[in-house]
Amino acid sequence: MKSFVQAFVLLALASSFASAFDPSPLQDFCVAIDEPKNAVKMPGDTNNPVGSNVSAVNVDKIPGLNTLGISAARIDFAPYGQNPPHIHPRATEILVVLEGTLLVGFVTSNPNNTLISKVLNKGDVFVFPIGLVHFQFNIGKTNALAFAGLSSQNPGVITIADAVFGSNPPINPDFLAKAFMLDVKVVKDLQAKF
Ligand code: MN
């Protein structure tokens, strides 16, 4: 009987930890867009160094997403355009390819750092787990288009190269040279670019 009570207490503790992790934040909903024309999402401009454009449809754009734990993104790719390696600290992402061919992938955490990667065609779906480094690369000769759903109204984005080499103020280049096993001149060159 005593061990049964102990087991029950442990179970109760375990379930309270589980529910404490992710309480449902739902409060209410609101109609978010005063002007219906503002709801139309046009193709993003991919004329930039990475050849892609991410149009985030998060709580900043649609206030009604607040507390709902969901958002979306439209990603346009020029031929050979890419969405460079990045992290969403608060969301898992599910990606649907509408046009074109994308090489996508994510890398698992330490110590294995396993690359999970796939070539996606129109209609294919892929999931990037929360907090992992991931990317998309248009390997086709045509434009590509994908939509993503994200499990947060405010997923956040950390682009690896921007955070490491483009921080403001810059991270000490000697430190980065050792961390990335690079010549300090290469680090300074990267810092100038980002
Ligand atoms: Mn992403």
Side-chain angles (χ1 to χ4, degrees):
M1 184 60 189
K2 192 183 168 200
S3 67
F4 170 77
V5 171
Q6 279 174 342
F8 186 78
V9 168
L10 277 175
L11 198 68
L13 273 174
S15 64
S16 74
F17 287 138
S19 65
F21 171 69
D22 193 14
S24 171
L26 182 62
Q27 294 166 350
D28 206 340
F29 69 90
C30 63
V31 177
I33 297 165
D34 298 330
E35 276 295 319
K37 66 178 166 56
N38 293 341
V40 177
K41 264 285 167 209
M42 305 302 285
D45 182 6
T46 59
N47 187 18
N48 55 57
V50 291
S52 78
N53 186 280
V54 181
S55 303
V57 188
N58 56 30
V59 70
D60 290 339
K61 304 280 165 53
I62 302 180
L65 288 176
N66 193 33
T67 76
L68 296 184
I70 197 166
S71 60
R74 173 189 173 126
I75 315 168
D76 290 274
F77 300 86
Y80 307 110
Q82 62 163 261
N83 189 8
H86 65 279
I87 292 166
H88 304 293
R90 292 178 293 277
T92 288
E93 172 178 350
I94 185 164
L95 186 91
V96 185
V97 178
L98 274 76
E99 297 293 340
T101 304
L102 295 177
L103 169 67
V104 307
F106 66 86
V107 180
T108 67
S109 54
N110 295 356
N112 293 337
N113 300 129
T114 304
L115 171 66
I116 311 290
S117 184
K118 202 85 181 168
V119 173
L120 305 182
N121 294 299
K122 184 174 177 170
D124 288 343
V125 172
F126 197 89
V127 173
F128 307 101
I130 182 170
L132 297 185
V133 173
H134 63 280
F135 61 87
Q136 299 108 28
F137 179 27
N138 179 9
I139 56 172
K141 295 185 176 113
T142 60
N143 290 341
L145 172 63
F147 274 82
L150 295 117
S151 61
S152 166
Q153 64 267 14
N154 184 19
V157 186
I158 300 166
T159 304
I160 307 302
D162 292 351
V164 173
F165 296 109
S167 69
N168 183 23
I171 300 173
N172 182 313
D174 295 316
F175 168 80
L176 285 182
K178 192 163 185 171
F180 285 80
M181 293 186 257
L182 292 171
D183 191 288
V184 72
K185 272 187 254 170
V186 175
V187 170
K188 286 178 176 169
D189 185 43
L190 287 167
Q191 287 182 316
K193 284 177 176 148
F194 288 98

